[in-house]
Amino acid sequence: MSSASTTDRAAAVTGAFGFTGKYIARHLLAEGCRVVTLTNHPDRADPFDGRVEARPLDFADPTGLVRSLEGVDTLYNTYWIRFEHGLSTFARAVEHTRTLIGAAQEAGVRRLVHVSITNPDPASPLPYFSGKAAVEQAIRDSRLSWAILRPAVVFGQEDILINNIAWLVRRFPVFAVPGAGEYRLQPIHADDLATLAVRVGRNTDNVTIDATGPETYTFKDLVKEIGHAVGRSPRIVSIPSGAMWALGWVLGRTVGDVTLTRDEITGLSASLLATESPPAGTTSLRRWLRENADTVGRHYASEIARHYR
């Protein structure tokens, strides 16, 4: 365990060179914190010009993870997987996170701020949501002080979902949605999520917060909003969930990516990306789309390329 005092201990962010982690690290640096990142992509471009120290995130080496967390006061964890790919499974993601929690305890980390998902459920038939619930329980069972944040859709310059909807809307006159498209989403901007994460990181109380944005959309209206921002009016058609998955599979083969999974369609259709809690973010997606209309959706954003290549 490190002997560093509280005042000179660092904040650690998993994936600070990625999407949500980058926003958290940016806020921490702005507050004068010493920041390290735990990463399994050490060759990824450093957006902080060396101001963030990169340390290994190797789940196969628990002792090494303890070393990576030495001198850390607060750990901000954004690690998870969107879908199973090769050896990356939801079961492994749960075990990896448990390993990280154990290493944090052994290293003397004071507090864990964990990014989860809206409506996790241990009984869910969807492994994304049941896995998130299992991780939350492991955090509650730990000796760490903790805060669990539950965002729905996170948007920003580097996001994938909103960008790729815009990419499709720019290129095709028809946009298919599974079912009626009336299920709800509450997108939160990555900067709002980071602001919340850093704020609760300073505290000591154990809290679980639904981290949703100020606007609620049906999926159909979200597509219309994106289309309006980029100057397109696609015809929105409703198709069965099975046909939607098949269409997504074909598109995925075309672009060399996984564009949509069966579980994502099921979770979306069940409105699992919305809650009844008051919003935690203030940034309007509608306004953000207008401000970024020239760039959003200009290029396809590949999940496979970002995380597995």
Side-chain angles (χ1 to χ4, degrees):
M1 184 183 301
S2 170
S3 60
S5 67
T6 301
T7 54
D8 63 5
R9 289 166 70 88
V13 183
T14 60
F17 298 165
F19 177 29
T20 54
K22 178 167 67 178
Y23 284 79
I24 293 171
R26 186 179 294 154
H27 274 264
L28 290 166
L29 288 170
E31 292 195 352
C33 295
R34 183 165 65 91
V35 181
V36 302
T37 183
L38 275 59
T39 178
N40 49 22
H41 295 285
D43 54 345
R44 181 169 286 176
D46 176 3
F48 299 107
D49 298 322
R51 291 182 296 154
V52 173
E53 177 190 352
R55 299 179 181 177
L57 180 65
D58 185 355
F59 298 111
D61 181 11
T63 302
L65 268 181
V66 174
R67 288 195 300 270
S68 289
L69 288 166
E70 285 181 349
V72 168
D73 175 73
T74 305
L75 169 62
Y76 296 85
N77 181 42
T78 69
Y79 164 74
W80 193 241
I81 60 172
R82 194 187 124 203
F83 48 76
E84 296 188 332
H85 180 75
L87 296 177
S88 296
T89 65
F90 288 114
R92 283 197 172 197
V94 172
E95 289 308 310
H96 287 168
T97 310
R98 286 176 175 151
T99 299
L100 181 63
I101 294 167
Q105 291 178 122
E106 189 172 343
V109 171
R110 175 187 66 88
R111 185 159 175 82
L112 170 62
V113 179
H114 174 72
V115 178
S116 186
I117 190 68
T118 48
N119 299 300
D121 182 356
S124 174
L126 308 177
Y128 189 105
F129 289 87
S130 61
K132 285 284 195 180
V135 168
E136 287 193 8
Q137 189 58 54
I139 292 169
R140 294 189 184 97
D141 291 341
S142 76
R143 301 189 306 271
L144 299 167
S145 164
W146 52 264
I148 295 170
L149 306 183
R150 293 175 169 175
V153 174
V154 182
F155 69 94
Q157 292 290 348
E158 306 86 353
D159 95 88
I160 286 180
L161 176 64
I162 301 299
N163 179 83
N164 286 351
I165 292 175
W167 184 83
L168 288 166
V169 165
R170 286 183 183 277
R171 284 158 180 77
F172 300 100
V174 176
F175 193 99
V177 300
E182 296 298 330
Y183 27 84
R184 300 177 302 137
L185 307 90
Q186 293 173 297
I188 184 170
H189 192 276
D191 197 63
D192 288 345
L193 178 62
T195 299
L196 176 62
V198 172
R199 185 172 76 240
V200 299
R202 303 189 200 103
N203 302 335
T204 58
D205 54 324
N206 297 335
V207 293
T208 301
I209 301 172
D210 285 333
T212 56
E215 299 163 339
T216 301
Y217 297 90
T218 66
F219 188 68
K220 184 184 294 185
D221 286 341
L222 176 66
V223 175
K224 291 179 180 177
E225 195 67 50
I226 293 170
H228 182 67
V230 301
R232 300 289 191 276
S233 299
R235 178 170 170 253
I236 299 176
V237 297
S238 298
I239 64 175
S241 295
M244 187 71 199
W245 176 82
L247 185 62
W249 182 87
V250 171
L251 177 62
R253 295 283 290 184
T254 302
V255 297
D257 193 23
V258 176
T259 59
L260 194 62
T261 70
R262 292 184 189 273
D263 285 355
E264 286 174 333
I265 293 171
T266 302
L268 182 64
S269 300
S271 286
L272 294 181
L273 299 180
T275 74
E276 300 303 324
S277 302
T282 60
T283 302
S284 161
L285 173 61
R286 180 177 294 109
R287 184 174 65 250
W288 181 87
L289 285 168
R290 302 296 189 274
E291 293 170 350
N292 293 274
D294 290 341
T295 57
V296 66
R298 288 293 183 186
H299 304 283
Y300 180 83
S302 170
E303 190 86 34
I304 294 289
R306 183 175 295 183
H307 294 290
Y308 298 106
R309 289 178 189 154

